[in-house]
Amino acid sequence: NAGVTQTPKFQVLKTGQSMTLQCAQDMNHEYMSWYRQDPGMGLRLIHYSVGAGITDQGEVPNGYNVSRSTTEDFPLRLLSAAPSQTSVYFCASRGQGARGYTFGSGTRLTVV
Amino acid sequence: AQSVTQLDSQVPVFEEAPVELRCNYSSSVSVYLFWYVQYPNQGLQLLLKYLSGSTLVKGINGFEAEFNKSQTSFHLRKPSVHISDTAEYFCAVSDYGGATNKLIFGTGTLLAVQP
């Protein structure tokens, strides 16, 4: 039981490049979310999903896409990276009836 | 929509002293409340949560929090802190019974424990 696994742990991108941040959970959780953490701003919700095939926007969705084709995986795509997307990204999941999320260890992304 | 306010960005305290980290929330519906802790260069760990019932909630590492509905607060307390408690603490709110149960965070409070 690995919990929530995020890959990669670190990434450096050039402006305009695209990439996908991976998130996988093995707890059969229905709810999954992506957050970004920036100094002094806490964690802000980017996108979330209430189940396979269902996604919705959070507080700061611009510049990011998501899809949820399986219960286990919830990848976050940056189509054209910008320096403003330099941040630490966290994926989280929550099971039905469980009111606290389990967080992954994060991906530190730098866009130069 | 819900929101969370953590007014103190940093709280310095001496070892073995008591500490209170403040959290106020805003919501038009009933809520669940959480405190998470983040140690340097690590992910988030659930410290405690309030779902219903007793307004005094005990968590890990000797922390506790009290839900006050009239003051819309959920302050975190510890009677005696240790150096190892140095970390950033996040208060979070989720709507009760909502379709999404989105978890919304405050901006965090850095607890700096000094010897």
Side-chain angles (χ1 to χ4, degrees), chain B residues 32-53:
Chain B
Y32 295 142
L33 294 157
F34 307 84
W35 277 98
Y36 283 85
V37 59
Q38 184 180 36
Y39 298 102
N41 297 314
Q42 294 190 25
L44 279 83
Q45 180 181 2
L46 181 64
L47 205 53
L48 50 80
K49 60 187 176 186
Y50 172 78
L51 305 182
S52 64

Side-chain angles (χ1 to χ4, degrees), chain A residues 50-112:
Chain A
V50 299
I54 307 170
T55 64
D56 206 346
Q57 298 180 349
E59 304 166 274
V60 288
N62 293 340
Y64 307 95
N65 280 352
V66 292
S67 60
R68 184 94 180 272
S69 56
T70 66
T71 300
E72 294 77 22
D73 300 299
F74 191 42
L76 179 71
R77 298 183 186 85
L78 284 71
L79 299 179
S80 179
S84 61
Q85 294 178 304
T86 293
S87 187
V88 180
Y89 292 85
F90 287 100
C91 178
S93 74
R94 176 179 83 73
Q96 185 73 277
R99 299 302 171 181
Y101 277 79
T102 300
F103 282 81
S105 56
T107 294
R108 186 175 295 272
L109 176 67
T110 302
V111 183
V112 298

